[in-house]
Each structure stands twice: as structure tokens, then as C-alpha cells.
PDB file of all heavy atoms in Angstrom:
ATOM      1  N   ALA A 105      86.078  15.155  58.994  1.00 88.00           N
ATOM      2  CA  ALA A 105      87.355  15.838  58.752  1.00 88.00           C
ATOM      3  C   ALA A 105      88.280  14.994  57.894  1.00 88.00           C
ATOM      4  O   ALA A 105      88.929  15.494  56.958  1.00 88.00           O
ATOM      5  CB  ALA A 105      88.011  16.179  60.090  1.00 88.00           C
ATOM      6  N   GLN A 106      88.356  13.696  58.195  1.00 86.00           N
ATOM      7  CA  GLN A 106      89.197  12.819  57.389  1.00 86.00           C
ATOM      8  C   GLN A 106      88.709  12.738  55.947  1.00 86.00           C
ATOM      9  O   GLN A 106      89.504  12.723  55.008  1.00 86.00           O
ATOM     10  CB  GLN A 106      89.222  11.423  58.012  1.00 86.00           C
ATOM     11  CG  GLN A 106      89.988  11.349  59.330  1.00 86.00           C
ATOM     12  CD  GLN A 106      90.001   9.951  59.900  1.00 86.00           C
ATOM     13  OE1 GLN A 106      89.430   9.028  59.310  1.00 86.00           O
ATOM     14  NE2 GLN A 106      90.637   9.786  61.054  1.00 86.00           N
ATOM     15  N   THR A 107      87.388  12.707  55.775  1.00 87.00           N
ATOM     16  CA  THR A 107      86.848  12.671  54.410  1.00 87.00           C
ATOM     17  C   THR A 107      87.201  13.941  53.638  1.00 87.00           C
ATOM     18  O   THR A 107      87.603  13.889  52.468  1.00 87.00           O
ATOM     19  CB  THR A 107      85.321  12.503  54.470  1.00 87.00           C
ATOM     20  OG1 THR A 107      85.005  11.323  55.213  1.00 87.00           O
ATOM     21  CG2 THR A 107      84.749  12.385  53.069  1.00 87.00           C
ATOM     22  N   GLN A 108      87.075  15.086  54.299  1.00 85.00           N
ATOM     23  CA  GLN A 108      87.437  16.340  53.637  1.00 85.00           C
ATOM     24  C   GLN A 108      88.917  16.372  53.287  1.00 85.00           C
ATOM     25  O   GLN A 108      89.303  16.825  52.194  1.00 85.00           O
ATOM     26  CB  GLN A 108      87.076  17.516  54.551  1.00 85.00           C
ATOM     27  CG  GLN A 108      85.574  17.735  54.724  1.00 85.00           C
ATOM     28  CD  GLN A 108      85.274  18.904  55.641  1.00 85.00           C
ATOM     29  OE1 GLN A 108      86.182  19.524  56.175  1.00 85.00           O
ATOM     30  NE2 GLN A 108      83.992  19.185  55.829  1.00 85.00           N
ATOM     31  N   ILE A 109      89.762  15.896  54.200  1.00 88.00           N
ATOM     32  CA  ILE A 109      91.205  15.876  53.922  1.00 88.00           C
ATOM     33  C   ILE A 109      91.518  14.960  52.754  1.00 88.00           C
ATOM     34  O   ILE A 109      92.309  15.309  51.854  1.00 88.00           O
ATOM     35  CB  ILE A 109      91.974  15.441  55.187  1.00 88.00           C
ATOM     36  CG1 ILE A 109      91.855  16.510  56.274  1.00 88.00           C
ATOM     37  CG2 ILE A 109      93.439  15.184  54.864  1.00 88.00           C
ATOM     38  CD1 ILE A 109      92.418  16.089  57.606  1.00 88.00           C
ATOM     39  N   GLN A 110      90.883  13.795  52.727  1.00 85.00           N
ATOM     40  CA  GLN A 110      91.130  12.862  51.629  1.00 85.00           C
ATOM     41  C   GLN A 110      90.651  13.443  50.297  1.00 85.00           C
ATOM     42  O   GLN A 110      91.323  13.319  49.269  1.00 85.00           O
ATOM     43  CB  GLN A 110      90.427  11.526  51.914  1.00 85.00           C
ATOM     44  CG  GLN A 110      91.002  10.764  53.094  1.00 85.00           C
ATOM     45  CD  GLN A 110      92.427  10.327  52.844  1.00 85.00           C
ATOM     46  OE1 GLN A 110      92.834  10.146  51.698  1.00 85.00           O
ATOM     47  NE2 GLN A 110      93.191  10.157  53.920  1.00 85.00           N
ATOM     48  N   VAL A 111      89.466  14.066  50.311  1.00 84.00           N
ATOM     49  CA  VAL A 111      88.944  14.662  49.069  1.00 84.00           C
ATOM     50  C   VAL A 111      89.864  15.778  48.593  1.00 84.00           C
ATOM     51  O   VAL A 111      90.190  15.881  47.389  1.00 84.00           O
ATOM     52  CB  VAL A 111      87.511  15.184  49.304  1.00 84.00           C
ATOM     53  CG1 VAL A 111      87.047  16.014  48.113  1.00 84.00           C
ATOM     54  CG2 VAL A 111      86.558  14.014  49.539  1.00 84.00           C
ATOM     55  N   HIS A 112      90.330  16.608  49.525  1.00 80.00           N
ATOM     56  CA  HIS A 112      91.233  17.695  49.152  1.00 80.00           C
ATOM     57  C   HIS A 112      92.553  17.142  48.611  1.00 80.00           C
ATOM     58  O   HIS A 112      93.098  17.652  47.614  1.00 80.00           O
ATOM     59  CB  HIS A 112      91.481  18.594  50.359  1.00 80.00           C
ATOM     60  CG  HIS A 112      92.427  19.732  50.082  1.00 80.00           C
ATOM     61  ND1 HIS A 112      92.072  20.804  49.280  1.00 80.00           N
ATOM     62  CD2 HIS A 112      93.710  19.945  50.494  1.00 80.00           C
ATOM     63  CE1 HIS A 112      93.106  21.639  49.206  1.00 80.00           C
ATOM     64  NE2 HIS A 112      94.111  21.132  49.939  1.00 80.00           N
ATOM     65  N   THR A 113      93.055  16.079  49.254  1.00 83.00           N
ATOM     66  CA  THR A 113      94.313  15.485  48.792  1.00 83.00           C
ATOM     67  C   THR A 113      94.179  14.883  47.411  1.00 83.00           C
ATOM     68  O   THR A 113      95.039  15.058  46.542  1.00 83.00           O
ATOM     69  CB  THR A 113      94.756  14.407  49.798  1.00 83.00           C
ATOM     70  OG1 THR A 113      94.881  14.992  51.094  1.00 83.00           O
ATOM     71  CG2 THR A 113      96.097  13.810  49.393  1.00 83.00           C
ATOM     72  N   LEU A 114      93.061  14.169  47.194  1.00 81.00           N
ATOM     73  CA  LEU A 114      92.845  13.576  45.872  1.00 81.00           C
ATOM     74  C   LEU A 114      92.677  14.644  44.798  1.00 81.00           C
ATOM     75  O   LEU A 114      93.206  14.520  43.687  1.00 81.00           O
ATOM     76  CB  LEU A 114      91.609  12.669  45.915  1.00 81.00           C
ATOM     77  CG  LEU A 114      91.744  11.385  46.753  1.00 81.00           C
ATOM     78  CD1 LEU A 114      90.416  10.651  46.802  1.00 81.00           C
ATOM     79  CD2 LEU A 114      92.815  10.487  46.162  1.00 81.00           C
ATOM     80  N   ALA A 115      91.937  15.710  45.142  1.00 78.00           N
ATOM     81  CA  ALA A 115      91.762  16.787  44.152  1.00 78.00           C
ATOM     82  C   ALA A 115      93.085  17.461  43.830  1.00 78.00           C
ATOM     83  O   ALA A 115      93.398  17.753  42.669  1.00 78.00           O
ATOM     84  CB  ALA A 115      90.754  17.805  44.690  1.00 78.00           C
ATOM     85  N   THR A 116      93.900  17.698  44.857  1.00 78.00           N
ATOM     86  CA  THR A 116      95.203  18.316  44.635  1.00 78.00           C
ATOM     87  C   THR A 116      96.101  17.419  43.811  1.00 78.00           C
ATOM     88  O   THR A 116      96.792  17.887  42.872  1.00 78.00           O
ATOM     89  CB  THR A 116      95.862  18.632  45.988  1.00 78.00           C
ATOM     90  OG1 THR A 116      94.992  19.445  46.757  1.00 78.00           O
ATOM     91  CG2 THR A 116      97.178  19.353  45.793  1.00 78.00           C
ATOM     92  N   ALA A 117      96.125  16.138  44.145  1.00 73.00           N
ATOM     93  CA  ALA A 117      96.965  15.207  43.387  1.00 73.00           C
ATOM     94  C   ALA A 117      96.504  15.109  41.940  1.00 73.00           C
ATOM     95  O   ALA A 117      97.317  15.045  41.014  1.00 73.00           O
ATOM     96  CB  ALA A 117      96.939  13.835  44.051  1.00 73.00           C
ATOM     97  N   LYS A 118      95.184  15.115  41.726  1.00 68.00           N
ATOM     98  CA  LYS A 118      94.681  15.016  40.363  1.00 68.00           C
ATOM     99  C   LYS A 118      95.050  16.266  39.553  1.00 68.00           C
ATOM    100  O   LYS A 118      95.448  16.178  38.398  1.00 68.00           O
ATOM    101  CB  LYS A 118      93.163  14.822  40.385  1.00 68.00           C
ATOM    102  CG  LYS A 118      92.564  14.592  39.006  1.00 68.00           C
ATOM    103  CD  LYS A 118      91.068  14.360  39.086  1.00 68.00           C
ATOM    104  CE  LYS A 118      90.788  13.029  39.753  1.00 68.00           C
ATOM    105  NZ  LYS A 118      89.342  12.721  39.736  1.00 68.00           N
ATOM    106  N   SER A 119      94.920  17.434  40.173  1.00 67.00           N
ATOM    107  CA  SER A 119      95.271  18.662  39.451  1.00 67.00           C
ATOM    108  C   SER A 119      96.764  18.716  39.148  1.00 67.00           C
ATOM    109  O   SER A 119      97.185  19.098  38.043  1.00 67.00           O
ATOM    110  CB  SER A 119      94.852  19.883  40.269  1.00 67.00           C
ATOM    111  OG  SER A 119      95.546  19.893  41.507  1.00 67.00           O
ATOM    112  N   ASP A 120      97.592  18.281  40.125  1.00 64.00           N
ATOM    113  CA  ASP A 120      99.039  18.265  39.877  1.00 64.00           C
ATOM    114  C   ASP A 120      99.393  17.279  38.788  1.00 64.00           C
ATOM    115  O   ASP A 120     100.250  17.552  37.930  1.00 64.00           O
ATOM    116  CB  ASP A 120      99.779  17.910  41.166  1.00 64.00           C
ATOM    117  CG  ASP A 120      99.644  19.002  42.219  1.00 64.00           C
ATOM    118  OD1 ASP A 120      99.291  20.139  41.836  1.00 64.00           O
ATOM    119  OD2 ASP A 120      99.875  18.717  43.413  1.00 64.00           O
ATOM    120  N   GLU A 121      98.734  16.136  38.797  1.00 64.00           N
ATOM    121  CA  GLU A 121      99.014  15.142  37.765  1.00 64.00           C
ATOM    122  C   GLU A 121      98.617  15.652  36.385  1.00 64.00           C
ATOM    123  O   GLU A 121      99.343  15.481  35.402  1.00 64.00           O
ATOM    124  CB  GLU A 121      98.258  13.847  38.092  1.00 64.00           C
ATOM    125  CG  GLU A 121      98.552  12.722  37.123  1.00 64.00           C
ATOM    126  CD  GLU A 121      97.782  11.470  37.469  1.00 64.00           C
ATOM    127  OE1 GLU A 121      97.001  11.517  38.429  1.00 64.00           O
ATOM    128  OE2 GLU A 121      97.965  10.456  36.769  1.00 64.00           O
ATOM    129  N   THR A 122      97.464  16.326  36.322  1.00 64.00           N
ATOM    130  CA  THR A 122      97.022  16.880  35.028  1.00 64.00           C
ATOM    131  C   THR A 122      98.000  17.937  34.530  1.00 64.00           C
ATOM    132  O   THR A 122      98.367  17.973  33.348  1.00 64.00           O
ATOM    133  CB  THR A 122      95.624  17.486  35.179  1.00 64.00           C
ATOM    134  OG1 THR A 122      94.733  16.494  35.693  1.00 64.00           O
ATOM    135  CG2 THR A 122      95.121  17.986  33.846  1.00 64.00           C
ATOM    136  N   THR A 123      98.460  18.778  35.429  1.00 60.00           N
ATOM    137  CA  THR A 123      99.411  19.825  35.052  1.00 60.00           C
ATOM    138  C   THR A 123     100.724  19.230  34.567  1.00 60.00           C
ATOM    139  O   THR A 123     101.278  19.643  33.543  1.00 60.00           O
ATOM    140  CB  THR A 123      99.672  20.757  36.252  1.00 60.00           C
ATOM    141  OG1 THR A 123      98.430  21.279  36.697  1.00 60.00           O
ATOM    142  CG2 THR A 123     100.611  21.872  35.874  1.00 60.00           C
ATOM    143  N   ASN A 124     101.214  18.215  35.288  1.00 58.00           N
ATOM    144  CA  ASN A 124     102.479  17.606  34.897  1.00 58.00           C
ATOM    145  C   ASN A 124     102.368  16.854  33.575  1.00 58.00           C
ATOM    146  O   ASN A 124     103.299  16.870  32.754  1.00 58.00           O
ATOM    147  CB  ASN A 124     102.945  16.663  35.990  1.00 58.00           C
ATOM    148  CG  ASN A 124     103.354  17.415  37.243  1.00 58.00           C
ATOM    149  OD1 ASN A 124     103.878  18.520  37.154  1.00 58.00           O
ATOM    150  ND2 ASN A 124     103.105  16.826  38.410  1.00 58.00           N
ATOM    151  N   VAL A 125     101.233  16.173  33.360  1.00 50.00           N
ATOM    152  CA  VAL A 125     101.046  15.458  32.095  1.00 50.00           C
ATOM    153  C   VAL A 125     100.994  16.435  30.931  1.00 50.00           C
ATOM    154  O   VAL A 125     101.581  16.209  29.856  1.00 50.00           O
ATOM    155  CB  VAL A 125      99.769  14.600  32.160  1.00 50.00           C
ATOM    156  CG1 VAL A 125      99.420  14.056  30.791  1.00 50.00           C
ATOM    157  CG2 VAL A 125      99.963  13.450  33.135  1.00 50.00           C
ATOM    158  N   THR A 126     100.291  17.558  31.131  1.00 55.00           N
ATOM    159  CA  THR A 126     100.222  18.569  30.052  1.00 55.00           C
ATOM    160  C   THR A 126     101.597  19.140  29.753  1.00 55.00           C
ATOM    161  O   THR A 126     101.990  19.299  28.569  1.00 55.00           O
ATOM    162  CB  THR A 126      99.270  19.697  30.488  1.00 55.00           C
ATOM    163  OG1 THR A 126      98.007  19.127  30.796  1.00 55.00           O
ATOM    164  CG2 THR A 126      99.118  20.706  29.357  1.00 55.00           C
ATOM    165  N   ALA A 127     102.348  19.427  30.804  1.00 51.00           N
ATOM    166  CA  ALA A 127     103.693  19.966  30.593  1.00 51.00           C
ATOM    167  C   ALA A 127     104.583  18.950  29.915  1.00 51.00           C
ATOM    168  O   ALA A 127     105.387  19.293  29.032  1.00 51.00           O
ATOM    169  CB  ALA A 127     104.302  20.399  31.924  1.00 51.00           C
ATOM    170  N   LEU A 128     104.438  17.689  30.279  1.00 49.00           N
ATOM    171  CA  LEU A 128     105.249  16.654  29.667  1.00 49.00           C
ATOM    172  C   LEU A 128     104.914  16.483  28.202  1.00 49.00           C
ATOM    173  O   LEU A 128     105.805  16.326  27.358  1.00 49.00           O
ATOM    174  CB  LEU A 128     105.045  15.337  30.430  1.00 49.00           C
ATOM    175  CG  LEU A 128     105.876  14.152  29.967  1.00 49.00           C
ATOM    176  CD1 LEU A 128     107.361  14.461  30.118  1.00 49.00           C
ATOM    177  CD2 LEU A 128     105.513  12.892  30.750  1.00 49.00           C
TER     178      LEU A 128
END
């Protein structure tokens, strides 16, 4: 469960970072 949560968190953070960098 912790591994899934960490993977989901990292994927979400990476997608948000990509979106923000593109917008910037």
C-alpha cells in the first residue's frame, strides 16, 4: 500500500510539474 501511494504521489507530482513548466 505504501509503495502504491508513493508511486501515485510521484506520478501526480511529475504530471503537475510538467504542466506547470509548460505553462510557465
Side-chain angles (χ1 to χ4, degrees):
Q106 290 181 0
T107 303
Q108 291 180 358
I109 292 172
Q110 293 295 334
V111 170
H112 179 71
T113 303
L114 292 175
T116 304
K118 185 178 291 185
S119 62
D120 293 342
E121 184 180 2
T122 304
T123 304
N124 291 326
V125 170
T126 303
L128 183 61

